Amino acid sequence: METSAKNAPEIVQLGFLYYNNKPIVYQFGFMYRHVFAAFQTAYRYDFSSLRPGKVMIFHLLEALHNKNNVTEVDLGGGMSMYKQEFTSEYRLLYDLY
């Protein structure tokens, strides 16, 4: 993941959120033509009460809006509650297999 981020920084987006100088969440995704596709977000369970994934997405959306002229953010499939807290708009995806 780190090598991809170094070799294609205009496409691969990798972010970390720290608490008391300790990384507690990371987010990995791809940028292409003003569309950001979130690929993976993970956090340390012992910090789950701080809602690190949600905080990370908030900062991610803010950064994408300010820096990259993003017109669309794809958070992947599923209708998770945290996604609905950020937007009421969505597209249904279908599995073909």
Side-chain angles (χ1 to χ4, degrees), residues 38-77:
F39 182 70
Q40 187 176 53
T41 302
Y43 61 89
R44 291 179 46 144
Y45 183 76
D46 49 328
F47 288 92
S48 62
S49 64
L50 299 176
R51 307 287 306 261
K54 192 175 187 181
V55 173
M56 183 69 177
I57 291 173
F58 174 82
H59 287 291
L60 169 74
L61 293 173
E62 185 176 58
L64 290 172
H65 175 74
N66 291 335
K67 294 180 183 175
N68 298 345
N69 278 332
V70 173
T71 58
E72 184 176 333
V73 175
D74 180 353
L75 293 175

Side-chain angles (χ1 to χ4, degrees), residues 1 3 5 20-21 25 29 32 35 41 45 51 65 68 73-74 79 83 85 95 97:
M1 204 166 31
T3 302
N20 288 336
N21 295 318
V25 61
Y32 183 69
V35 175
T41 302
Y45 183 76
R51 307 287 306 261
H65 175 74
N68 298 345
V73 175
D74 180 353
M79 290 293 299
K83 294 176 188 177
E85 292 179 26
D95 289 330
Y97 49 93

